[in-house]
Amino acid sequence: MNADKDEADAGDEAGGYEEVQGVLVAPDDGGGWRYRPRAPGLARGADGRAQFALVGAGAITMLALTASWGVPAATLDAVRAELAARAQVPAAQLGLAPAPVEVGTVRLLLGDGAGGFEELAKAQSSGVPPYHAAFNVMLDAERAAKVRKALGGERGWLQLRYEVRDGFEPRRSSEARSEESLALDASVRDAQGEAGVSARIGYSERIEADSGRGEPRERSYSADAVDWGLPKQ
């Protein structure tokens, strides 16, 4: 656990949040509940596959991924069921909505394996839950080696970090769908000649947002690549 996560956890506990089924929840003024994820991860497609690609071409490696700070629908159903059981009400009657926050910069960080990190890239989130952010980075051999250490299961080499500010009213939407895709094409030349590489990632999302206000607080939520749910490579 890193210092950012310790600080975020302390702030969430002070704000009345508790952990249920791995999700942070707190009662709201209307008798329902609000929730927020404990940590970011990777967006996943309809087939459940993570939106992540690492492709090498000569001396250059291309890293493409879509970050997410959200909670899967199945997990929310489990949270709702547990809270409803506590209150002894039908789950369908229990209100559960995303916490009112403003998600700003999302950073992709490259580590040194000993607790130090540098910014590899940054992006702005989609602005609505689950706050997707797309990254496309070209890596030299040294940085690619560090990323591969992270994919091999070593901590401290690659991290996602979300900057979150509380107390803002997100865009209101009862239900909407959006689709995005990211296509990557490159051509590089090395001693063996020219090589091309391409990759495509995309996602579709259902947006459900609620309004609300509170005292603004700024927190960082981060997650090491080991915790993104990728298979070891």
Side-chain angles (χ1 to χ4, degrees):
M1 184 177 294
N2 57 48
D4 288 327
K5 192 172 186 301
D6 289 338
E7 183 178 350
D9 287 347
D12 288 325
E13 291 172 2
Y17 283 85
E18 61 175 299
E19 184 176 344
V20 174
Q21 301 287 337
V23 180
L24 295 169
V25 299
D28 62 27
D29 295 336
W33 291 78
R34 60 184 183 270
Y35 72 87
R36 68 176 67 207
R38 285 193 64 90
L42 296 178
R44 295 183 178 271
D47 59 359
R49 296 181 63 182
Q51 301 298 302
F52 181 94
L54 185 68
V55 183
I60 299 298
T61 299
M62 299 183 68
L63 170 64
L65 63 91
T66 301
S68 174
W69 190 62
V71 181
T75 303
L76 287 179
D77 289 342
V79 171
R80 182 179 282 107
E82 181 170 332
L83 294 175
R86 287 188 196 178
Q88 297 184 333
V89 300
Q93 295 181 11
L94 188 135
L96 182 62
V101 298
E102 182 180 84
V103 178
T105 302
V106 184
R107 304 180 193 277
L108 182 63
L109 306 175
L110 191 66
D112 58 10
F117 287 90
E118 63 170 312
E119 184 180 286
L120 189 59
K122 65 180 179 181
Q124 293 299 308
S125 83
S126 61
V128 291
Y131 302 105
H132 285 143
F135 293 92
N136 169 25
V137 185
M138 299 189 73
L139 307 171
D140 58 21
E142 180 180 355
R143 289 181 168 180
K146 292 182 177 181
V147 170
R148 289 192 175 93
K149 286 184 178 182
L151 300 181
E154 297 184 34
R155 289 188 179 275
W157 295 104
L158 191 64
Q159 184 182 99
L160 281 171
R161 182 176 299 170
Y162 272 70
E163 305 295 337
V164 179
R165 190 174 186 188
D166 295 349
F168 284 81
E169 184 173 355
R171 269 178 260 173
R172 182 183 294 276
S173 176
S174 56
E175 181 176 342
R177 288 190 178 274
S178 66
E179 295 186 0
E180 289 192 26
S181 63
L182 173 64
L184 312 175
D185 294 285
S187 176
V188 295
R189 183 179 297 276
D190 57 18
Q192 286 71 44
E194 188 174 273
V197 60
S198 65
R200 180 179 294 274
I201 61 176
Y203 65 80
S204 63
E205 61 184 18
R206 177 180 175 180
I207 300 166
E208 293 182 354
D210 189 24
S211 62
R213 294 187 180 277
E215 181 183 352
R217 296 187 182 91
E218 293 185 358
R219 302 184 188 130
S220 294
Y221 292 84
S222 59
D224 193 274
V226 173
D227 301 317
W228 295 355
L230 291 170
K232 289 185 179 180
Q233 299 182 18

